[in-house]
């Protein structure tokens, strides 16, 4: 039988990428949705009708899989005995590739083409923007550039975060904050040796003097749990530290 896709109805052909064959006519009503999966090898969901295809509007919703897409990639997504009318809109989940439709007498072809949106236009923070600009300068053919080109906006921002190197500055800051454990232990040993008061900031130090040797052994344990919140630019992180410091 034929197929009528009414308003808000969704047609998603195939299981993952596949072809649906309709023995008869096909009608796309206004506000219907034709969901099409494609990949970078040229494979695509496809609707094949033995009868006439009538398009009164609707949306072609392109879901592109991961991969390395060329500057322009074409896919035949619909065929019929005849094709009349046009879809009102075509959307794509890729941030840097525009989707467009070409209509023939018996087919509809989807084209994905590199748009003029710069990587920096999807960035939301200073770190993302700096990384986006550097990545775009790498140009076509570079693995990093090509990988970002095939992402949606949210995944592109996550890629910029992972490439920015902000983690290394955050780790340095964390190490500076936790350096007080060793410093406090050494200073506490000096205060203890000279009869000073024990600080409340560190555990009480264990101290043992070896008879007639002039040598004292000392040690202390420490533990810490902390969290640094995001400032809206660099990501937040949590940290834990624990150990034992001893000396003679």
């Amino acid at each position: 039988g034929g197929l009528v896709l009414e308003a808000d109805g969704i047609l998603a052909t195939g299981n993952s990428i596949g072809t649906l064959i309709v023995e008869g006519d096909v009608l796309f009503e206004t506000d219907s949705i034709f969901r099409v999966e494609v990949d970078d090898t040229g494979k695509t969901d496809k609707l094949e009708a033995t009868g006439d295809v009538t398009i009164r509007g609707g949306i072609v919703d392109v879901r592109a899989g991961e991969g390395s897409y060329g500057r322009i990639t074409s896919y035949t997504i619909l065929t019929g005995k005849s094709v009349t009318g046009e879809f009102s809109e075509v959307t794509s989940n890729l941030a840097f590739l525009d989707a467009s439709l070409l209509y023939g007498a018996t087919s509809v072809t989807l084209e994905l083409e590199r748009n003029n949106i710069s990587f920096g236009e999807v960035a939301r923070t200073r770190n993302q923007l700096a990384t986006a600009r550097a990545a775009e300068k790498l140009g076509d053919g570079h693995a990093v550039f090509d990988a970002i080109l095939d992402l949606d906006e949210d995944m592109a921002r996550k890629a910029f975060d992972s490439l920015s190197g902000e983690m290394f500055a955050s780790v340095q800051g964390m190490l500076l904050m936790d350096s007080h454990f060793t410093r406090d232990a050494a200073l506490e040993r000096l205060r203890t040796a000279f009869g000073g008061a024990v600080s409340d900031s560190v555990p009480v130090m264990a101290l043992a003097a070896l008879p007639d040797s002039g040598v004292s052994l000392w040690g202390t344990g420490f533990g810490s749990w902390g969290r640094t919140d995001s400032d809206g630019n660099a990501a937040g992180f949590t940290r834990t530290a624990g150990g034992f410091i001893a000396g003679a």
Side-chain angles (χ1 to χ4, degrees):
L3 170 66
V4 177
L5 194 64
E6 298 184 347
D8 297 324
I10 300 174
L11 173 63
T13 69
N15 180 15
S16 186
I17 293 180
T19 299
L20 176 66
I21 299 175
V22 176
E23 299 287 348
D25 297 335
V26 175
L27 172 62
F28 289 92
E29 293 283 12
T30 302
D31 295 329
S32 61
I33 299 173
F34 182 19
R35 183 165 293 158
V36 179
E37 290 185 77
V38 300
D39 67 17
D40 62 331
T41 67
K43 294 180 181 179
T44 178
D45 282 342
K46 188 177 181 181
L47 176 65
E48 295 181 356
T50 61
D52 299 320
V53 178
T54 303
I55 306 171
R56 295 177 178 170
I59 300 171
V60 176
D61 177 21
V62 180
R63 303 294 179 91
E66 294 182 359
S68 181
Y69 293 83
R71 280 287 178 176
I72 299 179
T73 310
S74 298
Y75 308 86
T76 300
I77 61 173
L78 188 156
T79 61
K81 184 178 178 181
S82 68
V83 175
T84 58
E86 295 185 359
F87 292 99
S88 58
E89 184 181 1
V90 57
T91 63
S92 170
N93 62 324
L94 299 182
F96 308 108
L97 293 175
D98 281 341
S100 60
L101 299 175
L102 302 176
Y103 296 90
T106 60
S107 65
V108 177
T109 301
L110 165 71
E111 282 193 349
L112 292 179
E113 182 178 6
R114 174 73 165 94
N115 58 34
N116 59 0
I117 296 177
S118 68
F119 289 176
E121 288 184 58
V122 304
R124 292 291 181 269
T125 68
R126 297 188 304 277
N127 283 346
Q128 290 175 3
L129 179 60
T131 307
R133 288 173 174 171
E136 190 153 33
K137 289 181 180 179
L138 299 175
D140 283 327
H142 193 284
V144 172
F145 179 93
D146 292 344
I148 294 173
L149 190 65
D150 302 325
L151 300 177
D152 59 31
E153 291 189 12
D154 183 60
M155 290 301 296
R157 287 189 282 268
K158 291 179 180 178
F160 299 148
D161 284 335
S162 67
L163 291 168
S164 70
E166 67 177 44
M167 172 184 66
F168 300 107
S170 297
V171 169
Q172 291 287 350
M174 176 190 69
L175 293 175
L176 285 171
M177 285 187 286
D178 285 351
S179 66
H180 73 89
F181 292 118
T182 304
R183 181 174 63 253
D184 290 348
L187 294 175
E188 195 64 34
R189 167 66 188 113
L190 289 174
R191 282 191 288 267
T192 304
F194 291 97
V198 177
S199 169
D200 292 334
S201 64
V202 295
V204 175
M205 183 171 295
L207 183 65
L210 300 181
D212 304 324
S213 66
V215 176
S216 296
L217 303 179
W218 60 272
T220 184
F222 66 89
S224 172
W225 298 263
R227 182 183 72 188
T228 299
D229 292 331
S230 170
D231 63 352
N233 182 38
F237 61 92
T238 60
R239 69 186 191 279
T240 59
F244 184 82
I245 300 173

